Amino acid sequence: MQRRLSRGIGRAGVMLAGAVAIAGCGGPKQGFGRSSTEGASGANPASGGSGAAPPTANAGAAGMSADSDLVGLRRAAAKAGKLIGAAVDARALREDPSYAEILAREFDYVTPENATKWEELAPTSGEYAWSDADSVVEFAEAHQQAVKGHTLVWHRQNPTWLQASMTPDEVRAALKGHISHTLQHYRGRMRAWDVVNEAVDLESPSGYTESLFWEKLGPGYIEDAFRWAREADPDVLLFYNEVGVERIGPKADFVFEMLRDLLARGVPIDGIGLQSHVSIHRYPAESNLRANIRRFAELGLRVNISELDARTLLLPGEREGRWEAQRLAFQQVVGVCATEPGCEGVTLWGFADEYSWINDEGEPDDALIFDRGYAAKPAYDGVLDGLSGVLPVVGENVIENGDFGRGVEGWAVAGGEVSVGAAEGREGTQICLRGRGSETDGLTQDLRERLASGGPFAFSGRVRIQGASHAPVTASLHVEVEGTEPEELQLGIIEAPEGTWVELAGCFGLGFTASPMAIELMLQGPPAGVDLCVAQAAIGALSAP
Ligand code: XIL
């Protein structure tokens, strides 16, 4: 039986209280996993153990029918040399023929949504119940789809017999036994496994999710899990999967450093899954997602967008507008993956609104690409266009004097000494603030006349700091609507290294129930005494070309 647990989906999608709903969007070398000779099924991206080459021919499992037989998303993915995946609800697959039909037609990569989680596989200690999981794998095999198991180690959906009263040795033995037993059961049938899921939590003092595993075994459980997995199945690809790391920012930086360290110490990790539970109010900027995918790929990891869905409900307005905005969110994320050699493919966290887990996370929403009658939504076209490499475009800059060509005109400046001049080390003009007295000293522009309710909009700006080896720089919108608490929406945050221009970017949407008294863009963040320079700030509406 499937137990539905309620869990947060990361701060990206948290609804802002009050009358304002604000949304946010956006801003290699290919995985050197293992040599193709190790793989059981060669260099097809659908198979485990392929080596250095990016996915070229897509993406079904071995023996897939010729591309010309494919239709829809499968065909577009095959052309792009990418995998197009979906999380699969084992019960829906069993009971709903339309579900099965669409899954077979549109996807070449499947992930059991719950059936390969520990509580599903081993609800009773020492006994394994494979039938749900097996049925998903058998379906995939019958339809030339590759499979990714999900997930061996996670702090949720664990069996009740796994308890805090166990000793560290008992937890260790249980974990190792579970990994070995499960991988051996599916040996040769899975392309990949999510070995460790969501091990990082920047809100806990350690930076790690304080799960039973962390508490009993320390963070070393992460590398142990990968080593045990490799030992149990040397041919399957091993992934680290994480929530809220699709955009560059503090959490993605933490995970990047963690994986870099693990890889440097020889821990067998082949890829990273960027979950990408986004909303039409907030998804990564194109440039930011690209840069993030590239840096993970440069570590030698295969990058997957692993759990994409896009909530729609935070903005007011008709369904039609929300669904159009949703199309752009899917198109942007899929489009970036399709055009980044380091990205292997995109897995959607389901495909039919009816079965989306988002419905259990609060208000029912329409986070996926087929509606409740199984008609393709605009988001389906977004995925299709994205797979074809067509990305949303950003319209005209609504920021006044965003390139500082007219000095400080249009901007309110707070902080010591202001200078405007030729940008050092890049084209254009820079504005610099020296002798800043606090982290809130920076640049502000009132956009009340220039931003209407709606969106999504893309923000981007270049920033550079001086006076610290690195410091955070943030872009945010301060929004005030009469009768409600002021809201701050963070559009982007970046840890800027000294003396280097870096891009700060993010996408956002705006929804007002009353006309706002203030919408202010604020660029600030480094501590007092650190100089902040800005060049080329822009906000434009996103649209499908
Ligand atoms: C979710 C499933 O979709 C739900 O059916 C279940 O009740 C809870 O888990 N991140 C993950 C997935 O890695 O395993 C989660 O799946 C969604 C968030």
Side-chain angles (χ1 to χ4, degrees):
M1 198 188 67
Q2 193 166 297
R3 196 168 96 198
R4 298 208 172 252
L5 294 184
S6 148
R7 55 175 299 281
I9 58 165
R11 303 208 292 177
V14 170
M15 171 116 174
L16 292 161
V20 190
I22 308 179
C25 78
K29 116 195 156 204
Q30 173 61 26
F32 286 77
R34 287 158 295 124
S35 95
S36 55
T37 51
E38 287 177 40
S41 0
N44 187 313
S47 59
S50 66
T56 45
N58 188 39
M64 188 180 77
S65 44
D67 285 1
S68 57
D69 295 343
L70 301 174
V71 296
L73 303 183
R74 268 189 100 146
R75 183 181 168 85
K79 276 197 181 160
K82 302 290 176 181
L83 293 157
I84 183 71
V88 177
D89 180 321
R91 188 179 50 83
L93 185 63
R94 211 167 34 237
E95 294 173 1
D96 184 341
S98 306
Y99 183 95
E101 193 251 313
I102 293 176
L103 179 66
R105 187 182 71 218
E106 301 287 345
F107 299 96
D108 58 26
Y109 199 21
V110 303
T111 302
E113 184 172 350
N114 290 295
T116 43
K117 288 173 181 169
W118 199 344
E119 75 167 0
E120 301 284 328
L121 288 179
T124 310
S125 179
E127 284 172 36
Y128 272 74
W130 303 109
S131 69
D132 266 9
D134 282 354
S135 68
V136 175
V137 175
E138 281 155 19
F139 182 90
E141 287 169 345
H143 296 91
Q144 294 81 44
Q145 295 164 313
V147 189
K148 186 203 234 185
H150 171 87
T151 169
L152 296 164
V153 192
W154 192 27
H155 59 290
R156 300 190 184 264
Q157 290 181 277
N158 286 315
T160 49
W161 55 263
L162 202 67
Q163 276 177 7
S165 59
M166 290 166 78
T167 65
D169 281 349
E170 285 167 343
V171 172
R172 199 177 159 79
L175 189 57
K176 184 173 184 194
H178 173 62
I179 291 173
S180 309
H181 195 52
T182 306
L183 260 61
Q184 275 159 18
H185 178 82
Y186 286 112
R187 228 179 135 157
R189 299 176 75 191
M190 297 289 196
R191 173 184 196 264
W193 272 96
D194 286 330
V195 178
V196 178
N197 192 27
E198 300 179 357
V200 170
D201 176 1
L202 293 193
E203 271 162 36
S204 80
S206 63
Y208 291 98
T209 308
E210 298 185 349
S211 61
L212 180 69
F213 312 113
W214 182 87
E215 270 158 22
K216 300 281 173 180
L217 308 173
Y221 83 87
I222 300 170
E223 61 182 279
D224 287 343
F226 280 97
R227 291 204 165 99
W228 294 329
R230 177 63 89 238
E231 225 171 271
D233 183 350
D235 297 324
V236 77
L237 295 169
L238 306 178
F239 277 75
Y240 179 77
N241 196 52
E242 187 58 84
V243 61
V245 293
E246 47 281 353
R247 63 179 68 72
I248 290 180
K251 188 170 186 186
D253 293 351
F254 186 102
V255 169
F256 179 77
E257 293 302 334
M258 179 184 85
L259 293 178
R260 176 153 73 178
D261 170 65
L262 293 171
L263 290 165
R265 291 190 292 104
V267 178
I269 305 175
D270 298 308
I272 177 158
L274 312 174
Q275 290 188 8
S276 308
H277 294 288
V278 304
S279 78
I280 61 170
H281 322 85
R282 191 167 159 83
Y283 52 98
E286 177 187 338
S287 55
N288 187 296
L289 179 57
R290 248 184 226 297
N292 202 25
I293 289 173
R294 275 185 202 174
R295 69 174 173 165
F296 282 111
E298 278 163 10
L299 286 182
L301 294 171
R302 296 156 180 270
V303 182
N304 284 196
I305 302 294
S306 58
E307 302 189 10
L308 180 62
D309 50 28
R311 299 200 288 167
T312 74
L313 277 186
L314 303 184
L315 291 185
E318 293 303 308
R319 198 178 80 171
E320 199 186 341
R322 288 186 281 110
W323 282 14
E324 277 308 319
Q326 185 186 44
R327 171 208 163 96
L328 294 172
F330 274 98
Q331 185 171 349
Q332 177 140 305
V333 175
V334 174
V336 169
C337 179
T339 52
E340 274 305 316
C343 191
E344 287 190 323
V346 178
T347 290
L348 312 183
W349 208 241
F351 54 91
D353 283 343
E354 169 107 28
Y355 298 107
S356 168
W357 76 298
I358 295 293
N359 300 331
D360 307 327
E361 296 289 298
E363 232 181 312
D365 202 327
D366 312 320
L368 292 168
I369 65 170
F370 285 91
D371 72 12
R372 284 174 171 72
Y374 283 120
K377 292 162 61 186
Y380 175 94
D381 295 318
V383 175
L384 197 62
D385 288 349
L387 286 171
S388 312
V390 180
L391 280 127
V393 290
V394 182
E396 204 184 319
N397 189 4
V398 303
I399 293 181
E400 185 188 350
N401 187 28
D403 63 1
F404 306 100
R406 301 196 306 280
V408 297
E409 197 181 308
W411 293 92
V413 185
E417 185 196 325
V418 184
S419 65
V420 180
E424 294 163 51
R426 57 166 287 118
E427 278 182 27
T429 305
Q430 66 180 18
I431 183 166
C432 291
L433 311 186
R434 301 204 167 81
R436 296 169 55 259
S438 87
E439 60 182 31
T440 56
D441 278 357
L443 293 177
T444 318
Q445 182 165 133
D446 186 350
L447 295 174
R448 196 164 42 131
E449 302 297 320
R450 294 160 178 270
L451 284 179
S453 190
F457 303 98
F459 162 79
S460 67
R462 311 280 157 162
V463 297
R464 189 169 62 91
I465 59 121
Q466 209 75 48
S469 62
H470 53 88
V473 184
T474 59
S476 50
L477 279 186
H478 173 83
V479 181
E480 284 180 37
V481 175
E482 199 166 358
T484 64
E485 287 294 300
E487 309 268 6
E488 304 287 336
L489 172 72
Q490 192 179 88
L491 307 183
I493 178 169
I494 194 147
E495 194 67 26
E498 182 164 35
T500 309
W501 288 104
V502 287
E503 192 185 38
L504 194 55
C507 290
F508 64 96
L510 297 168
F512 306 122
T513 49
S515 115
M517 301 182 297
I519 309 178
E520 278 180 355
L521 172 66
M522 303 191 301
L523 303 170
Q524 53 193 189
V530 177
D531 301 344
L532 172 63
C533 300
V534 180
Q536 226 185 25
I539 290 179
L542 277 186
S543 60

